[in-house]
Amino acid sequence: MTMRLGPLLLVVVLGLVLTPPTLAQNDARYIKFLTQHLDADPKGRDDRYCNRMMKDRGLTSPCKDRNTFIHGNKKSIRAICGEGGNPYKDNLRISISKFQVTTCKHTGGSPLPPCQYRASKDFRRIIIACENGWPVHFDESIISPKQAGPSPRDGSASFNPLLTQNSDGNIHCQWPEKEVSETSPDL
């Protein structure tokens, strides 16, 4: 029995030692992404919603300037890292489907609490960064879905402009072979 247990124990120990620390749901970056951006069952989606959610999620010390909550489930958001998304610039992924989102924008002048937020809600395609098949960073969302053209599964380009807003509030207008960006704090 000792002879059989020894090799088996060695395989188990080697498996634990060689397993990457960034696996699945225990990954700190994935958990942080979920904490900052996932709200599967929103209540309200108005300014009070933003004030409550930003405080409850620990995003008000100091006041975070802007945060987007995605109203989908973990499985549909994770799918963007695979078949539910297409490659996008700089190792990002853009969702094929639109998601219901609420963006909360800080309206006060001071970064110190109490923080006040203004809510804007929409259905948008979202752009995220993935690591090992798991979402770890919300980058931006589509501003004008009607202008963005179709969302083909093959990732082929559209000849309509694609307007996006990144997490810092910068607006980008992309045309085939052309890109213009502009900062607009009011969107």
Side-chain angles (χ1 to χ4, degrees), residues 147-182:
Q147 292 183 345
S151 54
R153 285 198 174 272
D154 65 2
S156 60
S158 163
F159 287 101
N160 295 321
L162 178 63
L163 300 177
T164 58
Q165 179 178 15
N166 68 14
S167 57
D168 295 327
N170 294 328
I171 306 298
H172 299 274
C173 177
Q174 292 177 298
W175 294 87
E177 302 178 355
K178 203 177 224 184
E179 181 177 338
V180 178
S181 64
E182 172 182 331

Short mmCIF file of all heavy atoms in Angstrom, two decimals, residues 147-182:
data_model
loop_
_atom_site.label_atom_id
_atom_site.label_comp_id
_atom_site.label_asym_id
_atom_site.label_seq_id
_atom_site.Cartn_x
_atom_site.Cartn_y
_atom_site.Cartn_z
N GLN A 147 -25.29 53.41 -33.77
CA GLN A 147 -24.24 53.84 -34.67
C GLN A 147 -23.11 52.84 -34.77
O GLN A 147 -22.29 52.91 -35.65
CB GLN A 147 -23.65 55.18 -34.22
CG GLN A 147 -24.61 56.32 -34.36
CD GLN A 147 -23.95 57.64 -33.98
OE1 GLN A 147 -22.90 57.67 -33.37
NE2 GLN A 147 -24.59 58.72 -34.35
N ALA A 148 -23.06 51.91 -33.83
CA ALA A 148 -21.94 50.98 -33.79
C ALA A 148 -22.04 49.90 -34.86
O ALA A 148 -21.09 49.18 -35.07
CB ALA A 148 -21.85 50.34 -32.42
N GLY A 149 -23.15 49.80 -35.53
CA GLY A 149 -23.28 48.79 -36.56
C GLY A 149 -23.57 47.43 -35.95
O GLY A 149 -23.75 47.29 -34.75
N PRO A 150 -23.63 46.41 -36.78
CA PRO A 150 -23.94 45.08 -36.28
C PRO A 150 -22.81 44.55 -35.41
O PRO A 150 -21.69 45.04 -35.46
CB PRO A 150 -24.09 44.26 -37.56
CG PRO A 150 -23.28 44.99 -38.57
CD PRO A 150 -23.37 46.44 -38.21
N SER A 151 -23.11 43.54 -34.65
CA SER A 151 -22.09 42.92 -33.82
C SER A 151 -21.87 41.50 -34.32
O SER A 151 -22.32 40.54 -33.71
CB SER A 151 -22.52 42.92 -32.36
OG SER A 151 -23.78 42.33 -32.22
N PRO A 152 -21.20 41.36 -35.46
CA PRO A 152 -21.04 40.03 -36.05
C PRO A 152 -20.17 39.12 -35.20
O PRO A 152 -19.25 39.58 -34.54
CB PRO A 152 -20.37 40.33 -37.39
CG PRO A 152 -19.66 41.62 -37.17
CD PRO A 152 -20.50 42.38 -36.20
N ARG A 153 -20.47 37.83 -35.20
CA ARG A 153 -19.69 36.86 -34.45
C ARG A 153 -18.29 36.70 -35.03
O ARG A 153 -17.36 36.35 -34.32
CB ARG A 153 -20.38 35.50 -34.44
CG ARG A 153 -21.55 35.45 -33.52
CD ARG A 153 -21.91 34.00 -33.23
NE ARG A 153 -22.95 33.97 -32.24
CZ ARG A 153 -22.71 33.95 -30.94
NH1 ARG A 153 -21.50 33.98 -30.49
NH2 ARG A 153 -23.70 33.93 -30.09
N ASP A 154 -18.12 36.99 -36.31
CA ASP A 154 -16.80 36.80 -36.91
C ASP A 154 -15.89 37.99 -36.69
O ASP A 154 -14.73 37.97 -37.08
CB ASP A 154 -16.92 36.49 -38.41
CG ASP A 154 -17.50 37.65 -39.22
OD1 ASP A 154 -17.78 38.72 -38.65
OD2 ASP A 154 -17.67 37.47 -40.43
N GLY A 155 -16.37 39.06 -36.03
CA GLY A 155 -15.54 40.21 -35.73
C GLY A 155 -15.26 41.10 -36.92
O GLY A 155 -14.43 41.99 -36.87
N SER A 156 -15.98 40.89 -38.04
CA SER A 156 -15.72 41.71 -39.21
C SER A 156 -16.09 43.16 -38.96
O SER A 156 -16.97 43.46 -38.17
CB SER A 156 -16.50 41.17 -40.41
OG SER A 156 -17.88 41.19 -40.15
N ALA A 157 -15.40 44.05 -39.61
CA ALA A 157 -15.58 45.49 -39.38
C ALA A 157 -16.87 46.01 -39.98
O ALA A 157 -17.37 45.49 -40.95
CB ALA A 157 -14.39 46.25 -39.96
N SER A 158 -17.37 47.05 -39.37
CA SER A 158 -18.53 47.76 -39.86
C SER A 158 -18.06 49.09 -40.43
O SER A 158 -17.02 49.60 -40.05
CB SER A 158 -19.49 47.99 -38.68
OG SER A 158 -20.42 48.97 -38.99
N PHE A 159 -18.82 49.68 -41.34
CA PHE A 159 -18.44 50.97 -41.89
C PHE A 159 -19.14 52.11 -41.17
O PHE A 159 -19.11 53.23 -41.59
CB PHE A 159 -18.72 51.02 -43.40
CG PHE A 159 -17.74 50.20 -44.17
CD1 PHE A 159 -18.08 48.95 -44.62
CD2 PHE A 159 -16.46 50.66 -44.39
CE1 PHE A 159 -17.17 48.19 -45.31
CE2 PHE A 159 -15.53 49.91 -45.06
CZ PHE A 159 -15.89 48.65 -45.53
N ASN A 160 -19.79 51.82 -40.06
CA ASN A 160 -20.40 52.84 -39.22
C ASN A 160 -19.42 53.21 -38.11
O ASN A 160 -18.59 52.39 -37.71
CB ASN A 160 -21.70 52.30 -38.59
CG ASN A 160 -22.73 52.01 -39.64
OD1 ASN A 160 -22.87 52.77 -40.59
ND2 ASN A 160 -23.45 50.91 -39.48
N PRO A 161 -19.52 54.41 -37.55
CA PRO A 161 -18.61 54.77 -36.47
C PRO A 161 -18.92 53.96 -35.22
O PRO A 161 -20.06 53.60 -34.96
CB PRO A 161 -18.89 56.25 -36.25
CG PRO A 161 -20.27 56.45 -36.73
CD PRO A 161 -20.45 55.48 -37.87
N LEU A 162 -17.89 53.68 -34.45
CA LEU A 162 -18.04 52.98 -33.19
C LEU A 162 -17.63 53.96 -32.09
O LEU A 162 -16.48 54.34 -31.98
CB LEU A 162 -17.13 51.75 -33.17
CG LEU A 162 -17.12 50.92 -31.90
CD1 LEU A 162 -18.50 50.31 -31.65
CD2 LEU A 162 -16.08 49.83 -32.00
N LEU A 163 -18.61 54.41 -31.30
CA LEU A 163 -18.33 55.35 -30.22
C LEU A 163 -18.24 54.58 -28.92
O LEU A 163 -19.13 53.82 -28.58
CB LEU A 163 -19.45 56.40 -30.13
CG LEU A 163 -19.67 57.25 -31.37
CD1 LEU A 163 -20.84 58.18 -31.15
CD2 LEU A 163 -18.42 58.02 -31.73
N THR A 164 -17.14 54.79 -28.19
CA THR A 164 -16.95 54.10 -26.93
C THR A 164 -16.56 55.10 -25.86
O THR A 164 -16.06 56.18 -26.15
CB THR A 164 -15.85 53.02 -27.04
OG1 THR A 164 -14.64 53.64 -27.46
CG2 THR A 164 -16.25 51.94 -28.02
N GLN A 165 -16.80 54.69 -24.61
CA GLN A 165 -16.40 55.50 -23.47
C GLN A 165 -15.58 54.60 -22.56
O GLN A 165 -16.04 53.55 -22.15
CB GLN A 165 -17.63 56.00 -22.72
CG GLN A 165 -17.29 56.83 -21.51
CD GLN A 165 -18.55 57.35 -20.83
OE1 GLN A 165 -19.64 56.89 -21.08
NE2 GLN A 165 -18.38 58.32 -19.96
N ASN A 166 -14.34 55.01 -22.27
CA ASN A 166 -13.52 54.16 -21.41
C ASN A 166 -13.79 54.48 -19.95
O ASN A 166 -14.57 55.37 -19.63
CB ASN A 166 -12.03 54.25 -21.77
CG ASN A 166 -11.42 55.59 -21.45
OD1 ASN A 166 -11.99 56.41 -20.74
ND2 ASN A 166 -10.25 55.82 -22.00
N SER A 167 -13.14 53.76 -19.06
CA SER A 167 -13.42 53.90 -17.64
C SER A 167 -13.00 55.26 -17.08
O SER A 167 -13.44 55.66 -16.02
CB SER A 167 -12.72 52.79 -16.86
OG SER A 167 -11.33 52.81 -17.12
N ASP A 168 -12.17 56.01 -17.81
CA ASP A 168 -11.79 57.36 -17.38
C ASP A 168 -12.71 58.42 -17.94
O ASP A 168 -12.50 59.61 -17.72
CB ASP A 168 -10.36 57.67 -17.82
CG ASP A 168 -9.35 56.78 -17.11
OD1 ASP A 168 -9.61 56.43 -15.95
OD2 ASP A 168 -8.33 56.44 -17.73
N GLY A 169 -13.70 58.05 -18.73
CA GLY A 169 -14.65 59.00 -19.29
C GLY A 169 -14.24 59.54 -20.65
O GLY A 169 -14.93 60.40 -21.19
N ASN A 170 -13.15 59.06 -21.22
CA ASN A 170 -12.74 59.51 -22.55
C ASN A 170 -13.63 58.90 -23.62
O ASN A 170 -13.98 57.73 -23.55
CB ASN A 170 -11.28 59.13 -22.85
CG ASN A 170 -10.32 59.85 -21.94
OD1 ASN A 170 -10.56 60.98 -21.54
ND2 ASN A 170 -9.23 59.19 -21.59
N ILE A 171 -14.01 59.72 -24.61
CA ILE A 171 -14.85 59.26 -25.71
C ILE A 171 -13.95 58.97 -26.90
O ILE A 171 -13.08 59.75 -27.24
CB ILE A 171 -15.88 60.35 -26.11
CG1 ILE A 171 -16.69 60.80 -24.90
CG2 ILE A 171 -16.76 59.87 -27.26
CD1 ILE A 171 -17.51 59.71 -24.26
N HIS A 172 -14.19 57.83 -27.55
CA HIS A 172 -13.42 57.44 -28.72
C HIS A 172 -14.38 57.20 -29.89
O HIS A 172 -15.40 56.55 -29.71
CB HIS A 172 -12.64 56.14 -28.48
CG HIS A 172 -11.65 56.26 -27.36
ND1 HIS A 172 -10.38 56.73 -27.55
CD2 HIS A 172 -11.76 55.98 -26.04
CE1 HIS A 172 -9.74 56.73 -26.39
NE2 HIS A 172 -10.56 56.28 -25.46
N CYS A 173 -14.06 57.74 -31.03
CA CYS A 173 -14.84 57.49 -32.24
C CYS A 173 -13.93 56.75 -33.21
O CYS A 173 -12.91 57.28 -33.63
CB CYS A 173 -15.33 58.79 -32.86
SG CYS A 173 -16.23 58.55 -34.41
N GLN A 174 -14.31 55.53 -33.55
CA GLN A 174 -13.49 54.74 -34.45
C GLN A 174 -14.22 54.54 -35.78
O GLN A 174 -15.37 54.13 -35.81
CB GLN A 174 -13.19 53.37 -33.85
CG GLN A 174 -12.29 53.46 -32.65
CD GLN A 174 -12.08 52.10 -32.05
OE1 GLN A 174 -13.02 51.46 -31.61
NE2 GLN A 174 -10.83 51.66 -32.05
N TRP A 175 -13.52 54.82 -36.85
CA TRP A 175 -13.97 54.54 -38.19
C TRP A 175 -13.04 53.48 -38.74
O TRP A 175 -11.93 53.34 -38.25
CB TRP A 175 -13.88 55.78 -39.07
CG TRP A 175 -14.81 56.86 -38.65
CD1 TRP A 175 -14.58 57.82 -37.73
CD2 TRP A 175 -16.14 57.08 -39.12
NE1 TRP A 175 -15.67 58.63 -37.59
CE2 TRP A 175 -16.64 58.20 -38.44
CE3 TRP A 175 -16.95 56.44 -40.05
CZ2 TRP A 175 -17.92 58.68 -38.66
CZ3 TRP A 175 -18.22 56.93 -40.26
CH2 TRP A 175 -18.69 58.04 -39.58
N PRO A 176 -13.45 52.74 -39.74
CA PRO A 176 -12.48 51.82 -40.33
C PRO A 176 -11.22 52.59 -40.71
O PRO A 176 -11.29 53.60 -41.41
CB PRO A 176 -13.21 51.26 -41.54
CG PRO A 176 -14.65 51.39 -41.18
CD PRO A 176 -14.74 52.65 -40.37
N GLU A 177 -10.07 52.16 -40.17
CA GLU A 177 -8.77 52.75 -40.43
C GLU A 177 -8.62 54.17 -39.89
O GLU A 177 -7.77 54.91 -40.31
CB GLU A 177 -8.41 52.72 -41.91
CG GLU A 177 -8.42 51.33 -42.49
CD GLU A 177 -8.12 51.32 -43.96
OE1 GLU A 177 -8.00 52.39 -44.58
OE2 GLU A 177 -8.01 50.23 -44.50
N LYS A 178 -9.48 54.60 -38.96
CA LYS A 178 -9.39 55.96 -38.42
C LYS A 178 -9.89 55.96 -36.98
O LYS A 178 -10.84 55.29 -36.65
CB LYS A 178 -10.28 56.87 -39.27
CG LYS A 178 -9.90 58.32 -39.22
CD LYS A 178 -10.81 59.08 -40.15
CE LYS A 178 -10.01 60.06 -40.94
NZ LYS A 178 -10.80 60.90 -41.79
N GLU A 179 -9.22 56.71 -36.12
CA GLU A 179 -9.68 56.82 -34.75
C GLU A 179 -9.50 58.24 -34.25
O GLU A 179 -8.50 58.88 -34.51
CB GLU A 179 -8.89 55.87 -33.85
CG GLU A 179 -9.34 55.93 -32.42
CD GLU A 179 -8.61 54.94 -31.53
OE1 GLU A 179 -8.07 53.96 -32.05
OE2 GLU A 179 -8.59 55.18 -30.33
N VAL A 180 -10.51 58.74 -33.57
CA VAL A 180 -10.46 60.07 -32.97
C VAL A 180 -10.88 59.89 -31.52
O VAL A 180 -11.82 59.18 -31.23
CB VAL A 180 -11.43 61.04 -33.68
CG1 VAL A 180 -11.42 62.39 -33.03
CG2 VAL A 180 -11.11 61.13 -35.15
N SER A 181 -10.20 60.54 -30.61
CA SER A 181 -10.63 60.47 -29.22
C SER A 181 -10.76 61.87 -28.66
O SER A 181 -10.09 62.79 -29.09
CB SER A 181 -9.65 59.65 -28.37
OG SER A 181 -8.41 60.28 -28.32
N GLU A 182 -11.67 61.99 -27.69
CA GLU A 182 -11.97 63.29 -27.11
C GLU A 182 -12.43 63.05 -25.68
O GLU A 182 -13.15 62.12 -25.41
CB GLU A 182 -13.06 63.94 -27.92
CG GLU A 182 -13.61 65.21 -27.35
CD GLU A 182 -14.74 65.76 -28.20
OE1 GLU A 182 -14.74 65.53 -29.41
OE2 GLU A 182 -15.59 66.42 -27.63
#
